[in-house]
Amino acid sequence: MNDLTEGFERYRIIYYENQNYGNGTFDSYRGETYLTDDNLNSGKIYTEYMADYYMFGSETKLKTVVVLASEEYYRFHFTAYNQYDNDPFSEPTLIYSNINGGLGIFAGYSFTTIEQELLPQ
């Protein structure tokens, strides 16, 4: 996928594994990546192959959501993502906020979803 926008942009890429069983479809969160134009190589937004197994007997797809984010959206989600840690002794991280006298953000974004078939390994 190429970056077709002008100016400096920020991206949040979210990966899901979509499995279709006889009784329904399920999305499992697999991970996410944060990119800026500084991370792009020749204008290409690279996605990573996050699925590490194939579930026999089910149709499996990798669903990637590419979010083109405003600076406020990017900074909030990037700091919130980095704050999460299973270590109870880690130092807390301040979460970005742009609301005067409150917590949260006012931001905008657009997104596109890409689905790929996963083949047995």
Side-chain angles (χ1 to χ4, degrees):
M1 170 178 270
N2 289 327
D3 177 13
L4 302 177
T5 61
E6 295 181 14
F8 188 80
E9 301 295 348
R10 294 150 188 89
Y11 305 93
R12 177 182 181 207
I13 303 174
I14 312 163
Y15 305 96
Y16 298 93
E17 191 168 318
N18 179 280
Q19 296 176 343
N20 186 5
Y21 295 101
N23 57 351
T25 300
F26 304 95
D27 282 343
S28 302
Y29 173 83
R30 301 294 292 156
E32 56 190 283
T33 301
Y34 292 86
L35 297 173
T36 66
D37 278 353
D38 290 338
N39 305 116
L40 302 184
N41 185 356
S42 301
K44 285 199 172 258
I45 301 170
Y46 287 101
T47 58
E48 300 165 29
Y49 187 78
M50 299 288 292
D52 53 6
Y53 65 90
Y54 175 77
M55 187 70 92
F56 182 75
S58 67
E59 296 176 18
T60 305
K61 294 180 181 179
L62 179 65
K63 187 160 95 175
T64 307
V65 180
V66 179
V67 178
L68 175 60
S70 67
E71 180 179 1
E72 296 81 11
Y73 177 98
Y74 177 87
R75 290 177 66 186
F76 173 80
H77 285 280
F78 184 75
T79 56
Y81 178 77
N82 285 332
Q83 186 273 336
Y84 174 76
D85 194 352
N86 288 328
D87 181 3
F89 303 107
S90 65
E91 193 168 319
T93 303
L94 292 176
I95 305 295
Y96 172 77
S97 174
N98 67 355
I99 305 296
N100 292 332
L103 297 174
I105 59 164
F106 184 80
Y109 68 91
S110 64
F111 71 93
T112 187
T113 301
I114 304 161
E115 289 190 8
Q116 299 171 274
E117 290 286 338
L118 295 181
L119 302 175
Q121 297 179 354

